[in-house]
Amino acid sequence: MTARPQNRLQTNALCAELTPAQIDKLACLARSEHHTAGTFVFREGELATDLYLIDAGRVGLELCSPRGVHTIDTLDRDDALGLSWMYPGARWLFDARATEPLDLVVIDGQRLHALCEQDTDLGMRLMRAMAREVIERLQATRARLLDFYR
Amino acid sequence: MSVYLPRPFVVDAVERETADTVTLVIRPQSGLAPAMKAGQFAMLSAFGTGEVPISVSRIARDRLHHTIRHVGEATRALTALKTGDSLGFRGPFGTAWPLAAAVGKDLLVLAGGLGLAPLRPVLDYVMNHRDRFARVSVLYGTREVSQVLFGRDHKAWRSLMSLRMTVDHDVRQPDCAPWSGQVGVITKLIPKATYDAQNTVAMVCGPEIMMRFSARDLEASGIERANIHVSLERNMKCAVGLCGHCQLSNFLVCRDGAVLSYDRVAPLLTVREL
Ligand SMILES: Cc1cc2nc3c(=O)[nH]c(=O)nc-3n(C[C@H](O)[C@H](O)[C@H](O)COP(=O)(O)OP(=O)(O)OC[C@H]3O[C@@H](n4cnc5c(N)ncnc54)[C@H](O)[C@@H]3O)c2cc1C
Ligand code: FES
């Protein structure tokens, strides 16, 4: 049986600073999605409309080149997938492909924008959590640029 | 026998690990193999080329395993040795991983690249004495899938401990099986491991920057510096604390290390001149 969106949001790092009432508001915008291993959640170039929170499974962010398929990053349980929804009109830069059976909580980006504007405290807390996520990914990218295993 | 005089050993088997890395299984030409502890190293010499410090990567009753990556002249000669060839051995030298301190606790093993080699005897010990530890997690990061070491051991390790792997770079060719682990830096695996930070001993080995980043995140997760252990690498010559080649501030890595607790070395790792 699938857990209620509220319960699934509670454990996600993005929601760590939200109050229970704010999590309830977020849950009202959420739906569940399941992807079988090998299928795409979204493709490079598509409009980035939603925020995805991973409930179970693993997803790879991929990019094709003549050298093959590059996996840029993998994300799994309790990670946020796709940060581009923050900017209306943005498009995904990578393919997101389930590498294992994947359960997602999907939050409609447009309605989330409206909610953040209406409940600015929720908006501030969510943006702070998003900023932390972005900083962590930036630091990880910098560490990989050092290529220290060579 | 003098600690300066290499003892003649013979190569019993050569196991190819990756394109540039082999494991030499060696034994003394005569007499018993020296008693080595997990984390210790020996000075190995391919005659006529030079002598280099190499950690023990498996301790068998009458054989020692050393996993060597070809980076320069001495390691080129060592990795080119064939079964039956002779080599020189001095040791064992250095400190060991604090296995006794981890008994009854959660054990977290973080290995980066070739750093899995000095930690493999720890995992062998866990395999033989699993009941002595609480949760055991191995977090292993390498540059790319082709650099993953000791694939033949992974199945057994997974049966008794949690093993999570990540690579920094993954390019999949159409005819290759996809990589089933993670992609990204090794520190990304730390929040995924289950351990009680107040009751955990962490052992970290890999490139120095990887150890710094990992130790920093382990500390941030609540593990005390004194319970985080790293293995340092410095150029060595005598290996017995006399020549000063391996000096790191007031430590001689060959004598006081290579395994040292993070509370002792953390301030030194960010000093530019050292
Ligand atoms: C305590 C200790 C334990 C060690 N354990 C192992 C082990 O188990 N397996 C193993 O393969 N090596 C190990 N090393 C590293 C090994 O000793 C060096 O790779 C070796 O001394 C290089 O000698 P060389 O003559 O082949 O290369 P050099 O001619 O000395 O160096 C050639 C090139 O390789 C680079 N280089 C030197 N050392 C390293 C290094 N450690 N990593 C990356 N690049 C390097 C140099 O900067 C230079 O550019 C250990 C070192 C220490 C101090
Ligand atoms: S190698 Fe000579 S003092 Fe350490």
Side-chain angles (χ1 to χ4, degrees), chain A residues 39-102:
Chain A
T39 57
F40 290 95
V41 180
F42 53 74
R43 303 299 300 261
E44 179 184 351
E46 287 175 0
L47 269 180
T49 50
D50 295 325
L51 164 65
Y52 299 87
L53 303 176
I54 301 176
D55 197 36
R58 182 171 296 159
V59 67
L61 297 182
E62 298 181 345
L63 195 67
C64 299
S65 86
R67 286 176 53 210
V69 179
H70 303 250
T71 303
I72 309 296
D73 206 352
T74 52
L75 300 164
D76 51 23
R77 191 186 160 84
D78 288 340
D79 286 334
L81 162 66
L83 309 177
S84 304
W85 66 273
M86 286 194 283
Y87 300 98
R91 293 181 182 274
W92 299 121
L93 292 178
F94 306 108
D95 294 334
R97 197 175 58 85
T99 59
E100 292 175 4
L102 186 68

Side-chain angles (χ1 to χ4, degrees), chain A residues 4-147:
Chain A
R4 293 164 62 230
Q6 278 93 335
N7 300 345
R8 296 157 72 193
L9 289 172
Q10 268 160 9
T11 60
N12 196 283
L14 274 192
C15 304
E17 288 187 31
L18 300 187
T19 64
Q22 289 171 335
I23 290 181
D24 284 347
K25 285 187 188 176
L26 214 55
C28 290
L29 314 183
R31 64 178 195 276
S32 299
E33 260 184 36
H34 177 80
H35 294 262
T36 50
T39 57
F40 290 95
V41 180
F42 53 74
R43 303 299 300 261
E44 179 184 351
E46 287 175 0
L47 269 180
T49 50
D50 295 325
L51 164 65
Y52 299 87
L53 303 176
I54 301 176
D55 197 36
R58 182 171 296 159
V59 67
L61 297 182
E62 298 181 345
L63 195 67
C64 299
S65 86
R67 286 176 53 210
V69 179
H70 303 250
T71 303
I72 309 296
D73 206 352
T74 52
L75 300 164
D76 51 23
R77 191 186 160 84
D78 288 340
D79 286 334
L81 162 66
L83 309 177
S84 304
W85 66 273
M86 286 194 283
Y87 300 98
R91 293 181 182 274
W92 299 121
L93 292 178
F94 306 108
D95 294 334
R97 197 175 58 85
T99 59
E100 292 175 4
L102 186 68
D103 288 319
L104 297 168
V105 176
V106 189
I107 301 175
D108 181 310
Q110 214 178 347
R111 293 175 67 199
L112 183 54
H113 274 283
L115 177 62
C116 291
E117 305 226 341
Q118 177 226 324
D119 182 342
T120 48
D121 180 62
L122 180 152
M124 182 62 194
R125 288 169 192 241
L126 193 64
M127 287 307 144
R128 212 160 40 212
M130 292 294 289
R132 192 178 47 227
E133 192 67 35
V134 171
I135 289 168
E136 279 174 11
R137 291 189 195 179
L138 175 65
Q139 306 288 35
T141 306
R142 285 172 170 163
R144 280 163 77 186
L145 285 176
L146 292 171
D147 213 3

Side-chain angles (χ1 to χ4, degrees), chain B residues 36 39-43 53-56 90-94 236 239 254 257-258:
Chain B
M36 285 193 91
Q40 288 192 303
F41 65 95
M43 298 297 287
I54 302 291
S55 305
V56 65
R90 285 198 301 130
F93 297 120
M236 290 184 182
C254 70

Side-chain angles (χ1 to χ4, degrees), chain B residues 235-247 252-255:
Chain B
N235 284 340
M236 290 184 182
K237 205 88 188 152
C238 71
V240 290
L242 287 178
C243 72
H245 258 74
C246 65
Q247 187 170 0
L252 291 173
V253 174
C254 70
R255 185 194 64 195

